[in-house]
Amino acid sequence: MNPDLIPIAAAVRVADWAEAERLVRALLRGDDAREDLLTMLAISLQMQGRASEAVEAYEQLTRLFPARSEHWGNYATALREAGRLDEAAAVYERVLHASPTDAGQLVNYALLKLQQRDYAGARDIALRAHALEPDSPRVRIHAARACQACREYEEAEDLLKPWRRWLPLEDDGLQQELGDLQLALGDGDSAQVLLEDLVRRSPGNVHAIVHLASAYERLNRLPEAESLLAQLAGRLDGAAPGVRMELAHVLAKVAQRKGDLAEAQAILEDAGLRGEGDYAHHYLLAEIRAKRNDVAGTMQALEAAHALHVEDLKHVIPKRFEPGASPLPLADVRVDADEYARWPVLTAPEAKHSPVFIVGFPRSGTTLLEQMLDAHPRLQSMDENPFFNKLSDQLAEQGIFVPQDMARLGQRDCDELRKRYLGMVCETIPRRWDTQIVDKNPLNMLWLPLIHRLFPHAKFILALRHPCDVILSCYMQNFRSSVLAAACSDLQRLATSYVASMQSWLHHAAIFEPDVLTVRNEDIVADVEGQAARIAQFLELGDAAPLLDFHEHARRKGFIGTPSYTQVIQPVNSRGMNRWLRYREYIEPVLPILEPMLQHWGYSTDAPAVG
């Protein structure tokens, strides 16, 4: 190493990028065309979040050393970070034309495609890089990010499976990205390990501390989150704007969880969006305003959230937004009695050897029921997983479509599908073989034909809640599922989706006659002990007492992968009952759509009597 680079290297080791820049600029005054110094200047500017200035430095390097492909690649990356996406694309294409098998530049180009919201293009380019360098952690992590953007969660999880072998990653930013990805994919424990390790190794990494605090909040570990946030006091001088924005959102969430709603709203409104497509900001703002009974402000924030969310979803599932497209196509396909009569009689597991299925439209109390059952030592649940979607996709590859081709499935087919189902369960949770599986996925109600074909003796718990409260609550949620988010993008689509789902369930339940216990959320609120006893009797559990400890059990679990993660760690309360009445002027236009289900389930739209 050049002796004059030693002080610069020392500044880099402690991530003092401002000092590194100062030292480099001093040396450049004697030789303004020195390649190593210009490169270090560009890097130090990038690390300080000064992408526009880094662009100038990299552009100078490409002029002085045009044959060096790494400078062109770095120039393109700086252009991307500066938001000059079209210029960056042109430079990346030049680089890849000269070096089409450069996996590193393919990944950089994929990251650009993500910023342009060409999610499918990003995924395809990143997977090309993965084919070239299948063991590269960097390639796998960014390919997983592209798959996650396409809502291809299983593919993303597969790419990240070897992550423990990669630690410690030399690139702190890459390890932080990996931790964030694991949290987004529902693996809170892995996210915690990754981010804690990063903060332990780099205690001065403010960005990592912010992300670990965010993970702690998501894991219902508020004291740890607050402790970390307190450590940041006075340490944000020189931090990049993105770090400050992310910190503001974490502070707002923690303040909200503590009940400091005015403070949470002030922080969030002052911070603004973290980027032009930051719909999560508006969802959180709506949640805070709703708790402050600001109805108009809540609906204004939700309108902004859904507008941005839909624009994002159009890049993933554009057909769902074509004129006349069904919001939930699966709900429209029915098996009739004559078709069912043609199904062959097959051997299947008894009820005690089948999963217990919790179904119902989202936000009807399914997570509460799941946590109640999981608290019982004879039952074992897991976070929501689209197991039957995956089985259906596998069947479609063989030309067998659900539900219309169920008669084509023979004994061997069903046995194999049950094995695949069990395999997916065991990949999801450490299976306790002395327990019965509880499979909670609200929209499994649409997969009743396939479930009945595989587990005809299974018991179902159907969660019900006032339809108006259901659709209001769904409209307020930032759903991870692209299909569900699209169905909830406006109140009319949402009401239509609710009715179609319920009609699909009722149609198939009348034909298949599954063993179902209907549990109303309002009844649990009114008499949790009585409803726990009903559930225990239905499932032949004997003692219902463990079901009543659900909130403490949920708190001990840590990560809960549904929007209800903050509610199910609290005892049952009535705060969500009849909330829709405050929003009646917004719900009123869709009441005619909901009328068939309001009548069927016996729910009134009159205000409850006082006193």
Side-chain angles (χ1 to χ4, degrees):
M1 179 184 290
N2 248 322
D4 56 3
L5 293 179
I6 293 175
I8 298 171
V12 169
R13 274 196 298 274
V14 296
D16 189 347
W17 298 105
E19 175 63 8
E21 178 195 355
R22 187 189 69 77
L23 292 167
V24 167
R25 289 192 185 278
L27 291 173
L28 280 170
R29 281 194 285 270
D31 184 358
D32 63 359
R34 187 169 152 185
E35 186 177 13
D36 57 351
L37 292 177
L38 282 170
T39 301
M40 185 52 65
L41 174 63
I43 292 171
S44 67
L45 291 168
Q46 272 184 298
M47 298 305 292
Q48 293 177 76
R50 293 155 61 187
S52 296
E53 295 172 71
V55 165
E56 295 176 10
Y58 282 125
E59 186 178 23
Q60 186 176 356
L61 282 163
T62 62
R63 286 199 307 268
L64 293 170
F65 310 98
R68 298 290 296 274
S69 62
E70 62 266 34
H71 295 323
W72 286 100
N74 291 334
Y75 177 37
T77 298
L79 285 167
R80 172 171 61 80
E81 292 175 352
R84 294 161 62 177
L85 303 186
D86 292 340
E87 294 171 76
V91 178
Y92 278 133
E93 287 163 8
R94 169 181 175 153
V95 171
L96 289 168
H97 180 76
S99 304
T101 59
D102 186 331
Q105 294 303 339
L106 282 168
V107 166
N108 289 334
Y109 194 23
L111 293 174
L112 170 68
K113 290 289 187 181
L114 280 175
Q115 278 187 256
Q116 293 176 317
R117 295 205 286 190
D118 179 1
Y119 299 140
R123 175 202 59 207
D124 293 345
I125 292 167
L127 291 177
R128 278 170 54 197
H130 177 247
L132 291 164
E133 293 189 11
D135 298 325
S136 165
R138 178 174 184 267
V139 170
R140 280 180 167 265
I141 290 166
H142 290 310
R145 173 62 78 188
C147 288
Q148 187 247 356
C150 291
R151 278 60 169 184
E152 295 173 358
Y153 301 120
E154 186 176 11
E155 291 80 356
E157 290 164 4
D158 287 343
L159 285 162
L160 300 182
K161 278 181 179 176
W163 71 267
R164 291 183 183 274
R165 299 203 301 266
W166 304 338
L167 298 186
L169 287 166
E170 295 180 2
D171 183 336
D172 285 359
L174 196 60
Q175 184 158 332
Q176 179 182 301
E177 174 82 356
L178 176 57
D180 291 345
L181 256 177
Q182 295 285 22
L183 194 64
L185 293 170
D187 190 348
D189 292 338
S190 295
Q192 180 180 329
V193 169
L194 285 158
L195 294 171
E196 284 181 343
D197 174 72
L198 179 55
V199 170
R200 188 164 47 248
R201 289 189 294 104
S202 303
N205 188 332
V206 172
H207 206 179
I209 293 172
V210 170
H211 282 254
L212 178 56
S214 179
Y216 280 153
E217 184 278 327
R218 187 62 186 80
L219 288 159
N220 285 317
R221 296 178 57 179
L222 285 186
E224 291 95 329
E226 290 183 84
S227 175
L228 276 180
L229 294 171
Q231 294 176 27
L232 294 176
R235 295 177 59 185
L236 290 174
D237 292 342
V243 178
R244 294 174 176 272
M245 296 285 284
E246 196 63 44
L247 173 61
H249 282 74
V250 180
L251 287 169
K253 281 187 177 180
V254 171
Q256 177 206 17
R257 296 286 298 274
K258 292 170 61 182
D260 297 334
L261 299 178
E263 174 71 6
Q265 183 171 334
I267 293 171
L268 207 58
E269 291 177 340
D270 183 59
L273 275 65
R274 289 162 291 189
E276 62 179 356
D278 185 15
Y279 51 81
H281 166 91
H282 291 296
Y283 280 116
L284 179 57
L285 183 58
E287 185 178 347
I288 293 167
R289 287 176 175 173
K291 290 184 176 180
R292 300 191 73 194
N293 294 320
D294 178 3
V295 171
T298 299
M299 297 305 288
Q300 182 183 40
L302 287 172
E303 185 177 354
H306 284 287
L308 291 177
H309 204 168
V310 165
E311 283 306 306
D312 194 60
L313 289 168
K314 285 179 178 178
H315 294 277
V316 182
I317 47 172
K319 290 185 178 180
R320 290 295 170 92
F321 296 96
E322 292 176 353
S326 173
L328 284 176
L330 186 60
D332 301 330
V333 187
R334 311 280 169 83
V335 175
D336 62 32
D338 291 338
E339 290 172 315
Y340 180 47
R342 292 193 291 271
W343 288 18
V345 177
L346 305 175
T347 301
E350 298 177 9
K352 64 181 179 181
H353 298 305
S354 300
V356 174
F357 293 98
I358 299 176
V359 298
F361 203 80
R363 307 299 296 167
S364 295
T366 55
T367 302
L368 170 59
L369 288 167
E370 178 212 354
Q371 296 305 317
M372 289 178 71
L373 297 191
D374 194 55
H376 198 286
R378 288 174 49 190
L379 301 172
Q380 183 181 18
S381 77
M382 55 207 157
D383 279 329
E384 290 176 20
N385 281 277
F387 294 142
F388 291 95
N389 304 59
K390 294 176 183 178
L391 292 177
S392 176
D393 289 343
Q394 292 170 12
L395 287 171
E397 291 173 2
Q398 304 168 41
I400 299 173
F401 298 97
V402 178
Q404 54 266 44
D405 292 335
M406 292 297 91
R408 294 174 56 188
L409 296 179
Q411 187 69 53
R412 181 176 297 180
D413 300 315
C414 292
D415 290 344
E416 177 60 28
L417 288 168
R418 281 188 287 268
K419 288 179 185 177
R420 292 181 194 174
Y421 174 86
L422 182 59
M424 289 188 286
V425 169
C426 292
E427 287 179 0
T428 303
I429 54 172
R431 185 74 177 93
R432 302 198 318 267
W433 295 104
D434 60 340
T435 62
Q436 187 173 7
I437 282 292
V438 175
D439 187 338
K440 186 272 290 188
N441 189 325
L443 290 184
N444 271 349
M445 64 193 305
L446 301 181
W447 293 107
L448 181 55
L450 180 55
I451 296 173
H452 184 73
R453 177 71 287 190
L454 301 183
F455 301 104
H457 307 300
K459 290 178 179 286
F460 290 80
I461 298 179
L462 173 66
L464 284 184
R465 183 184 178 196
H466 195 298
C468 295
D469 277 329
V470 169
I471 66 164
L472 174 64
S473 186
C474 283
Y475 188 61
M476 290 181 170
Q477 302 309 312
N478 179 7
F479 286 113
R480 186 178 82 152
S481 162
S482 56
V483 171
L484 190 52
C488 298
S489 58
D490 65 60
L491 288 170
Q492 183 169 345
R493 284 171 65 93
L494 183 46
T496 301
S497 299
Y498 176 88
V499 171
S501 298
M502 281 295 176
Q503 288 177 336
S504 172
W505 167 265
L506 292 170
H507 171 87
H508 287 129
I511 291 174
F512 304 139
E513 299 182 339
D515 193 2
V516 182
L517 177 70
T518 299
V519 178
R520 295 177 185 258
N521 187 256
E522 294 84 359
D523 292 341
I524 292 181
V525 170
D527 181 14
V528 65
E529 292 186 7
Q531 292 303 308
R534 282 184 71 223
I535 294 167
Q537 182 180 17
F538 175 67
L539 297 179
E540 301 177 8
L541 296 175
D543 184 12
L547 276 63
L548 300 173
D549 188 41
F550 72 91
H551 54 286
E552 293 298 338
H553 176 77
R555 191 183 296 275
R556 291 191 293 269
K557 285 180 71 172
F559 185 83
I560 297 168
T562 71
S564 305
Y565 74 97
T566 62
Q567 283 105 39
V568 294
I569 61 171
Q570 306 293 333
V572 169
N573 61 73
S574 61
R575 285 192 293 269
M577 285 183 61
N578 294 312
R579 182 169 62 161
W580 76 274
L581 289 168
R582 294 200 295 274
Y583 297 81
R584 182 165 195 138
E585 66 177 290
Y586 301 95
I587 302 293
E588 195 87 41
V590 301
L591 287 180
I593 300 173
L594 294 173
E595 184 60 26
M597 291 302 105
L598 288 165
Q599 285 195 15
H600 180 87
W601 297 118
Y603 281 104
S604 171
T605 56
D606 297 330
V610 179

